[in-house]
Amino acid sequence: HAKRNGRNHALRYCPSQDRRSRPALGLLNDLRSALANGGQLELYYQPQYRMRDNAMTGLEALLRWRHPQEGLILPADFIPLAECHGLMASLGNWVIDQTLAQMANWRDRGRLEVPVWINISALQLFQGDVEAALQAGLTRHRLDARWLGLELTESALLDERAGDISPRLEALRERGHPVALDDFGTGYSSLGYLTRLPLDKLKLDRTFVEALPGDRANAAIVSAVLAMARGLSLAVVAEGVETPAQRDFLREAGCDEVQGFLYAPPLVAADI
Ligand code: C2E
Ligand code: MG
Ligand code: MG
Ligand code: MG
């Protein structure tokens, strides 16, 4: 049922077909073979830090595509293509397996010390079987779910095509996965769902952090979000922290964790 709906609605994820030019179709074929052969897809890992003591608290896995002709391609330039053409489930499964393989490697060397977070797209939730992929991967790599955090965006969580997502999310969380709401503040404005969804963290979107501390309206929004999160016992991770002034504002306002170029960019596993 979900699959059938997914297929019908998948077109809505396609950016205007007329503007999908030949180069994009070439890229689509390249992505298909990259997925089939492996090798060109890579994961980078960006550290997250606790403001209180600067301890590293987590790593976010971020997908990259090393295209033989085009060079390094960022997710914004190929994830929409994958979503539009039904490749997101297999791309997502690759991310799950690759992340767990890297974590098992760190574990075997006594270096797995913080949870690794992966991004889960709305399409994975209703076109793929994320639960099965996660379970199979955890078993194969002998890892506990508490080490693998899941980042979902508001639009993924509230996408009606996935049905009521909260029971599935609850099940994933009961298995031990930490769950974060990504890009918080950019999606739906109803805050009621924050009390209904099982969440551990909010990730405050970079657009709010960007304008800190000079822009008073943004500063007010950030302070209010932090106060609200405290009331709901949700930790907040600020995304895209680039300057000491942004860091200082966030610390003062009671933000728990930070992630951004000021601290560390996304890095290859060897550099972690
Ligand atoms: P996101 O999950 O919100 O990830 C944070 C993005 O902000 C990353 O971009 C990261 O490189 C970038 N970033 C981190 N610190 C800074 C900073 O200080 N300044 C600026 N300007 N940017 C910063 P990236 O890697 O290009 O990923 C973009 C988006 O693509 C991600 O946003 C996520 O929604 C999606 N994405 C990435 N990897 C995956 C994946 O494996 N699966 C899925 N479904 N989506 C992914
Ligand atoms: Mg994310
Ligand atoms: Mg984000
Ligand atoms: Mg973001």
Side-chain angles (χ1 to χ4, degrees):
H1 170 74
K3 271 219 172 77
R4 197 186 58 224
N5 281 341
R7 205 161 288 138
N8 288 342
H9 290 279
L11 285 174
R12 279 212 271 148
Y13 275 83
C14 293
S16 154
Q17 287 292 322
D18 337 322
R19 282 190 285 123
R20 286 259 146 240
S21 49
R22 239 166 235 301
L25 289 177
L27 210 58
L28 174 63
N29 288 329
D30 293 350
L31 186 56
R32 284 215 172 89
S33 46
L35 264 168
N37 308 324
Q40 293 174 22
L41 297 172
E42 296 174 14
L43 287 174
Y44 277 52
Y45 300 86
Q46 188 177 31
Q48 304 169 338
Y49 298 91
R50 187 162 53 213
M51 298 212 84
R52 182 158 47 76
D53 57 3
N54 288 327
M56 193 199 285
T57 49
L59 294 166
E60 179 176 7
L62 294 160
L63 189 55
R64 302 286 181 263
W65 177 14
R66 198 169 296 280
H67 190 281
Q69 282 86 42
E70 309 290 328
L72 196 69
I73 309 183
L74 293 172
D77 293 321
F78 66 92
I79 283 189
L81 200 63
E83 293 192 324
C84 177
H85 295 279
L87 299 178
M88 197 55 227
S90 43
L91 197 56
N93 288 346
W94 185 88
V95 169
I96 290 170
D97 195 62
Q98 187 58 37
T99 305
L100 289 167
Q102 181 58 59
M103 291 164 68
N105 173 303
W106 280 327
R107 187 257 332 271
D108 292 345
R109 293 186 288 141
R111 295 261 172 95
L112 183 64
E113 293 167 13
V114 295
V116 180
W117 295 77
I118 56 173
N119 294 284
I120 305 283
S121 89
L123 279 186
Q124 279 177 272
L125 287 175
F126 66 91
Q127 289 188 335
D129 193 346
V130 193
E131 290 91 338
L134 289 170
Q135 191 56 66
L138 290 169
T139 304
R140 182 162 55 251
H141 297 288
R142 291 176 295 110
L143 281 159
D144 193 284
R146 76 188 63 257
W147 291 98
L148 189 66
L150 309 176
E151 296 193 3
L152 299 104
T153 60
E154 287 174 272
S155 45
L157 292 178
L158 301 176
D159 194 315
E160 75 281 2
R161 287 165 292 175
D164 181 7
I165 203 73
S166 46
R168 291 173 67 191
L169 211 55
E170 190 66 68
L172 286 169
R173 203 153 160 267
E174 261 159 29
R175 258 193 227 162
H177 290 290
V179 176
L181 184 49
D182 206 351
D183 300 347
F184 180 73
T186 59
Y188 294 67
S189 53
S190 160
L191 297 173
Y193 68 84
L194 282 180
T195 62
R196 293 195 301 274
L197 289 172
L199 297 169
D200 300 286
K201 288 186 182 185
L202 295 184
K203 297 194 75 179
L204 182 65
D205 193 69
R206 178 158 60 83
T207 51
F208 298 106
V209 176
E210 219 163 43
L212 293 177
D215 185 290
R216 284 183 55 204
N218 259 289
I221 289 174
V222 170
S223 300
V225 167
L226 289 167
M228 178 194 70
R230 262 195 303 282
L232 296 169
S233 301
L234 289 169
V236 175
V237 186
E239 300 187 312
V241 181
E242 295 183 352
T243 70
Q246 292 167 349
R247 174 199 59 203
D248 294 344
F249 179 94
L250 289 163
R251 180 180 285 130
E252 195 65 31
C255 183
D256 306 281
E257 294 174 29
V258 280
Q259 180 179 345
F261 297 162
L262 178 66
Y263 290 82
L267 299 163
V268 295
D271 290 339
I272 293 292

